[in-house]
Amino acid sequence: MHRRVITYSRNAFLPLTTVCANRCGYCCFRTPVREGCIMPPGEVLRTMEVSAELGCTEALFTFGERPGAVPGFTAMLERIGYTDILDYVYDLSLAAIRLGLLPHTNAGILSYLELDRLRAVNASMGLMLETTAEVAAHRDSPGKKPGVRIEMIENAGKLSIPFTTGILVGIGETMEDREESFQVIRDLHRRFGHIQEVIVQNFRPKPGTPMEGTPTPETSELCATIALAREILPSDVAVQIPPNLADASHLIGCGVDDLGGVSPLTIDYVNPERPWPEIEELKRVAGDAELRERLCIYPQYIEKGWYSPLLEPLIRQLAERIRKAEPG
């Protein structure tokens, strides 16, 4: 009988800007345009250098959606020599590759052409579907319209981009809405085969946000949602939970395959009050299962060659390093 495997990756969390065109009711990440709202190149490079030295394999670039649409942001960006945040992330992706980290970008809504451009310098990319339901939390967030997000996930499939998506649990949706969300993701994967993992992320209230008084979903509700995901999604799609946001040790048995990216250096800037667990803690969470490190591009996509030629040497090198580190 094969021992169950739970995977994770080591990453550097790099929030390039906190400016965002959306105004979600649960978000504490978004800030107005102000000093310090853009992570400067020197800080990004230093963080990546140290992260690579600490054994990380992934540079996770994340930032607010369409920050250039917010008045004053472009002028702030011009101070570091750019007029478009996507030019900035492109250059930083090249720097990450030179330093030995595989770029993974979560940039919010991108067009087909923007996805195609970033595909050349990213091993994988992502966008949370969050929910197919129209919820009050997204009232002031044009980029959170379900149809807009589904179209981007579809475009990523057309471009054969190894992709991460997921749902946010507890933002006003029902269990039926979650079921529909998983079905939409399943159907997209059946068409394009590009969904490598689906995150089941629980909402956590943040002080000072419109939803600060909304309760966190109970562990039993999360367990039922994870079980539903595992039932609906194809077996080659991993179900992931963020181990710093939920009672992970009690959720592993509900159908979890992956514990996401954790960092030995950077915090979770979207949930700054919830520190990443240490690797030893992840082993405890995994229980009887084998905890195994992975890259941000899953093995089946490496085998298919779903990456640009620029990334091949580094992908091969890191995959071999991880293989040699595996027990037995």
Side-chain angles (χ1 to χ4, degrees), residues 142-163:
K144 294 296 176 78
K145 290 188 179 302
V148 173
R149 296 180 93 72
I150 291 167
E151 182 183 13
M152 178 175 150
I153 300 170
E154 183 178 33
N155 283 335
K158 291 175 181 176
L159 289 162
S160 298
I161 297 172
F163 209 75

Side-chain angles (χ1 to χ4, degrees), residues 199-307:
I199 304 169
V200 178
Q201 180 172 330
N202 54 302
F203 159 78
R204 279 200 170 268
K206 304 290 190 295
T209 64
M211 292 180 67
E212 65 179 345
T214 305
T216 302
E218 298 284 343
T219 300
S220 59
E221 186 178 3
L222 282 175
C223 184
T225 304
I226 291 163
L228 181 66
R230 191 62 286 162
E231 178 187 327
I232 292 172
L233 297 170
S235 59
D236 61 334
V237 176
V239 174
Q240 179 190 121
I241 58 166
N244 62 320
L245 298 185
D247 189 357
S249 60
H250 286 91
L251 295 173
I252 287 291
C254 305
V256 173
D257 305 294
D258 186 80
L259 293 171
V262 296
S263 175
L265 180 65
T266 55
I267 66 167
D268 179 352
Y269 291 90
V270 179
N271 299 280
E273 80 286 1
R274 308 292 298 186
W276 304 118
E278 301 283 344
I279 302 302
E280 286 304 312
E281 172 63 11
L282 289 185
K283 289 179 181 176
R284 187 194 69 76
V285 165
D288 293 335
E290 176 191 343
L291 184 69
R292 187 180 296 173
E293 187 178 356
R294 61 162 174 82
L295 300 181
C296 63
I297 175 172
Y298 276 51
Q300 63 266 36
Y301 299 100
I302 298 175
E303 290 171 14
K304 290 179 182 178
W306 280 26
Y307 46 77

Side-chain angles (χ1 to χ4, degrees), residues 1-324:
M1 184 176 176
H2 289 294
R3 188 180 173 197
R4 186 177 171 205
V5 173
I6 304 291
T7 52
Y8 76 100
S9 70
R10 297 178 197 250
N11 69 19
F13 196 124
L14 301 154
L16 299 186
T17 183
T18 51
V19 175
C20 184
N22 293 326
R23 292 174 174 266
C24 300
Y26 45 77
C27 181
C28 72
F29 178 79
R30 180 190 177 278
T31 68
V33 176
R34 65 186 185 196
E35 291 294 331
C37 69
I38 299 172
M39 195 174 185
E43 184 181 346
V44 178
L45 292 171
R46 283 192 301 274
T47 302
M48 291 197 297
E49 285 169 1
V50 175
S51 295
E53 289 169 4
L54 290 171
C56 294
T57 61
E58 173 187 354
L60 170 58
F61 296 112
T62 188
F63 43 99
E65 189 165 290
R66 296 291 176 203
V70 180
F73 177 79
T74 300
M76 193 75 75
L77 190 63
E78 286 171 349
R79 294 188 193 177
I80 58 170
Y82 292 89
T83 56
D84 186 335
I85 189 74
L86 299 185
D87 293 338
Y88 188 34
V89 76
Y90 187 95
D91 285 355
L92 290 174
S93 296
L94 290 173
I97 295 164
R98 287 195 298 270
L99 291 167
L101 298 172
L102 293 171
H104 173 99
T105 297
N106 288 337
I109 297 299
L110 297 173
S111 69
Y112 181 93
L113 291 176
E114 289 166 340
L115 281 166
D116 192 29
R117 182 185 181 214
L118 289 180
R119 179 185 180 278
V121 293
N122 274 258
S124 56
M125 297 180 71
L127 178 79
M128 292 288 280
L129 173 58
E130 294 199 11
T131 181
T132 52
E134 298 279 354
V135 292
H138 291 157
R139 186 183 296 120
D140 299 317
S141 302
K144 294 296 176 78
K145 290 188 179 302
V148 173
R149 296 180 93 72
I150 291 167
E151 182 183 13
M152 178 175 150
I153 300 170
E154 183 178 33
N155 283 335
K158 291 175 181 176
L159 289 162
S160 298
I161 297 172
F163 209 75
T164 295
T165 189
I167 70 164
L168 197 49
V169 179
I171 56 170
E173 83 296 345
T174 65
M175 188 63 87
E176 289 72 25
D177 295 328
R178 296 170 203 163
E179 181 176 7
E180 181 183 66
S181 297
F182 292 138
Q183 289 169 344
V184 166
I185 294 168
R186 175 200 63 197
D187 292 346
L188 286 166
H189 182 69
R190 282 178 175 170
R191 288 173 63 197
F192 303 107
H194 68 308
I195 307 293
Q196 55 181 6
E197 58 190 8
V198 172
I199 304 169
V200 178
Q201 180 172 330
N202 54 302
F203 159 78
R204 279 200 170 268
K206 304 290 190 295
T209 64
M211 292 180 67
E212 65 179 345
T214 305
T216 302
E218 298 284 343
T219 300
S220 59
E221 186 178 3
L222 282 175
C223 184
T225 304
I226 291 163
L228 181 66
R230 191 62 286 162
E231 178 187 327
I232 292 172
L233 297 170
S235 59
D236 61 334
V237 176
V239 174
Q240 179 190 121
I241 58 166
N244 62 320
L245 298 185
D247 189 357
S249 60
H250 286 91
L251 295 173
I252 287 291
C254 305
V256 173
D257 305 294
D258 186 80
L259 293 171
V262 296
S263 175
L265 180 65
T266 55
I267 66 167
D268 179 352
Y269 291 90
V270 179
N271 299 280
E273 80 286 1
R274 308 292 298 186
W276 304 118
E278 301 283 344
I279 302 302
E280 286 304 312
E281 172 63 11
L282 289 185
K283 289 179 181 176
R284 187 194 69 76
V285 165
D288 293 335
E290 176 191 343
L291 184 69
R292 187 180 296 173
E293 187 178 356
R294 61 162 174 82
L295 300 181
C296 63
I297 175 172
Y298 276 51
Q300 63 266 36
Y301 299 100
I302 298 175
E303 290 171 14
K304 290 179 182 178
W306 280 26
Y307 46 77
S308 72
L310 176 68
L311 288 159
E312 182 168 8
L314 181 57
I315 287 173
R316 298 291 177 191
Q317 175 193 329
L318 293 177
E320 180 64 11
R321 189 177 92 190
I322 285 178
R323 188 191 66 78
K324 286 181 174 178

